[in-house]
Amino acid sequence: MQDLADITDQKRKELDLAQIRRKFPVLDQKVNGKPLAYFDNAATTQKPDQVIEALKHYYENDNSNIHRGAHTLASRATERFEKTRNSLKSFINAPSAEEVIFTKGTTDSINLVASTFGKKFIKAGDEVIISTMEHHSNIVPWQMLCEENDAHLKIIPVSDSGELDLQAYKQLLSAKTRLVAVVHASNALGTINPVKTMIDLAHEQGAKFLVDGAQSAAHLNVDVQELDCDFFAFSAHKMYGPTGVGVLYGKRELLEWMPPYQGGGEMIHEVTFAKTTYNEIPYKFEAGTPNIADVIAFDAALAFINDLGKDAIRNQETKLLNHAFDSCAAIKGFVPVGTARDKVSVLSFTINNMHSFDVGMMLDASGIAVRTGHHCTQPLMNRFGIEGTVRASFAVYNTIEEIDRLYESLARIAKRKN
């Protein structure tokens, strides 16, 4: 017989979905006359009321520039801005808050590394390794760098199930490898990559490792010290936070060696016409007035995630993903794309060889929001021989009933094609 304490603990871990959904005002609406079912969470998650309220509070009470003001509003704004940095330090278990840099998003974070670490430390004949499943933001900056520096870009292949070929990765690594940049969880397939193993293998060759954590930070427990990654990039807006805010974690010794990314205010120590000296990290990489309000509101999003707990969030999303896959697999013409053993809550598929945009428009007519197309992963789509997929991605506020609506709508669409 199950112990009463165990039962109580289990109930404590169960999420109150009705209460959670009440925190998201955008979900309480109809689209095309039907209740909204929002399954575009890999593109951006919706924002809970505490994030919206944090934005409102800043503009109504604390609006001021930060770090350089002597007045009360500037002090309050600075304190709340830096509080988010300290919350992020704990969230990813960074050794220090100074290793947490604010950017515009994951794309900006990756470009920062390419433009600073890359230009200084990657020379002619050196090698950079990425994978076939990368988002364009983790492909194009490295292509540009390799073209400019006459370095070589190498690509890790992907299996039919959507998993990286680790044996091929080992063979690609060499003494010439300077950097490996790989996505933690694929935005197009949902695949969770074994980045810890990959990082260890890269370090054996003396290479540095950047993790694109855009799709993992909201779903998986991230410990940058345990991973031993050199860089970790992610965005607020995929974590129930505002758009326009990104984070780059970097190891202190690397950040101190790297040149500044942009010039301007805040990133300087002293400016003369003869010479400029630069500020300490993280401010060396944060030129100009930052996105103050959204950084402050990001702290409320982190609190939302921490209050629910990553494990509880992951359990809910896994239930949704499994139910969606099991249901939709019964539809004639439904073909899943990406069947890795370990996934975040992303279901990509084609149906009856229909164009993904057409399927997406028909789902929208039923109030169901999905993403369609190549998902900024054209090389990956080419690998599977398709133009794109329909992608349904789930968040903690989604429900089994919404999944059932997705299944019913797709079943009708499939029959219409036949």
Side-chain angles (χ1 to χ4, degrees), residues 331-334 351-354 410-418:
I331 299 173
K332 185 178 180 180
F334 175 88
I351 190 160
N352 277 331
N353 294 317
M354 297 174 66
L410 286 174
R412 287 195 299 269
I413 291 169
K415 286 180 180 179
R416 179 182 303 180
K417 179 66 175 178
N418 289 334

Side-chain angles (χ1 to χ4, degrees), residues 30-42:
K30 290 187 176 182
V31 172
N32 294 318
K34 305 292 178 58
L36 170 65
Y38 183 80
F39 294 146
D40 196 17
N41 296 288

Side-chain angles (χ1 to χ4, degrees), residues 8 41 50 69 73 114 121 126 128 144 158 202 262 285 300 307 329 351 371 391 410 414:
T8 303
N41 296 288
Q50 64 203 76
L73 268 64
F121 297 107
D126 289 343
V128 175
M144 295 169 66
V158 173
Q262 296 174 321
F285 298 104
D307 287 345
I351 190 160
R371 182 69 42 164
R391 184 186 71 190
L410 286 174

Side-chain angles (χ1 to χ4, degrees), residues 112-357:
L112 189 160
V113 177
S115 297
T116 55
F117 173 87
K119 289 185 178 179
K120 184 170 183 177
F121 297 107
I122 296 176
K123 308 300 182 185
D126 289 343
E127 297 171 351
V128 175
I129 298 176
I130 60 175
S131 84
T132 303
M133 70 172 64
E134 299 309 313
H135 189 281
H136 294 166
S137 63
N138 203 29
I139 298 174
V140 180
W142 307 117
Q143 286 180 323
M144 295 169 66
L145 174 69
C146 288
E147 289 172 2
E148 183 177 343
N149 291 11
D150 198 23
H152 302 291
L153 189 64
K154 293 187 170 183
I155 314 299
I156 308 166
V158 173
S159 71
D160 290 343
S161 64
E163 296 177 309
L164 292 183
D165 185 336
L166 289 186
Q167 190 59 40
Y169 170 60
K170 293 176 185 178
Q171 294 172 355
L172 289 174
L173 286 165
S174 74
K176 294 182 179 180
T177 307
R178 295 292 172 263
L179 181 77
V180 181
V182 170
V183 67
H184 196 176
S186 168
N187 72 302
L189 306 178
T191 304
I192 299 172
N193 290 317
V195 291
K196 172 58 179 170
T197 298
M198 299 178 75
I199 290 166
D200 291 343
L201 290 168
H203 286 169
E204 288 175 8
Q205 294 292 335
K208 305 305 181 186
F209 202 106
L210 179 146
V211 178
D212 174 353
Q215 297 295 333
S216 65
H219 305 281
L220 309 178
N221 290 311
V222 175
D223 185 331
V224 295
Q225 294 190 71
E226 181 181 349
L227 288 175
D228 196 28
C229 56
D230 300 286
F231 302 102
F232 192 95
F234 57 106
S235 299
H237 75 98
K238 298 180 189 294
M239 303 171 58
Y240 309 99
T243 56
V245 176
V247 178
L248 175 67
Y249 158 78
K251 287 182 177 177
R252 177 182 291 273
E253 61 178 359
L254 293 175
L255 296 178
E256 290 178 344
W257 288 340
M258 287 155 51
Y261 180 39
Q262 296 174 321
E266 188 64 26
M267 53 76 64
I268 56 89
H269 175 67
E270 184 176 4
V271 176
T272 69
F273 287 119
K275 183 177 176 59
T276 292
T277 55
Y278 305 125
N279 207 341
E280 298 177 346
I281 60 169
Y283 308 114
K284 180 173 74 170
F285 298 104
E286 296 179 354
T289 299
N291 189 351
I292 301 168
D294 290 324
V295 167
I296 288 172
F298 189 15
D299 194 48
L302 296 172
F304 170 78
I305 293 172
N306 288 333
D307 287 345
L308 294 183
K310 285 269 190 82
D311 291 339
I313 291 173
R314 181 85 191 277
N315 288 339
Q316 165 66 4
E317 292 171 343
T318 299
K319 289 178 185 177
L320 295 168
L321 179 63
N322 290 341
H323 186 69
F325 184 87
D326 292 344
S327 300
C328 294
I331 299 173
K332 185 178 180 180
F334 175 88
V335 179
V337 181
T339 55
R341 290 161 292 182
D342 198 10
K343 292 183 54 160
V344 293
S345 50
V346 169
L347 179 66
S348 280
F349 59 91
T350 61
I351 190 160
N352 277 331
N353 294 317
M354 297 174 66
H355 196 286
S356 62
F357 182 77

Side-chain angles (χ1 to χ4, degrees), residues 37-73:
Y38 183 80
F39 294 146
D40 196 17
N41 296 288
T44 192
T45 51
Q46 298 300 337
K47 322 306 173 193
D49 49 16
Q50 64 203 76
V51 170
I52 298 168
E53 178 57 35
L55 280 169
K56 183 171 179 286
H57 182 275
Y58 168 78
Y59 282 121
E60 288 184 345
N61 296 276
D62 299 332
N63 181 41
S64 176
N65 215 325
I66 58 173
H67 294 142
R68 296 179 290 276
H71 56 84
T72 298
L73 268 64

Side-chain angles (χ1 to χ4, degrees), residues 1-7:
M1 185 173 180
Q2 191 175 10
D3 186 77
L4 180 61
D6 291 338
I7 296 173

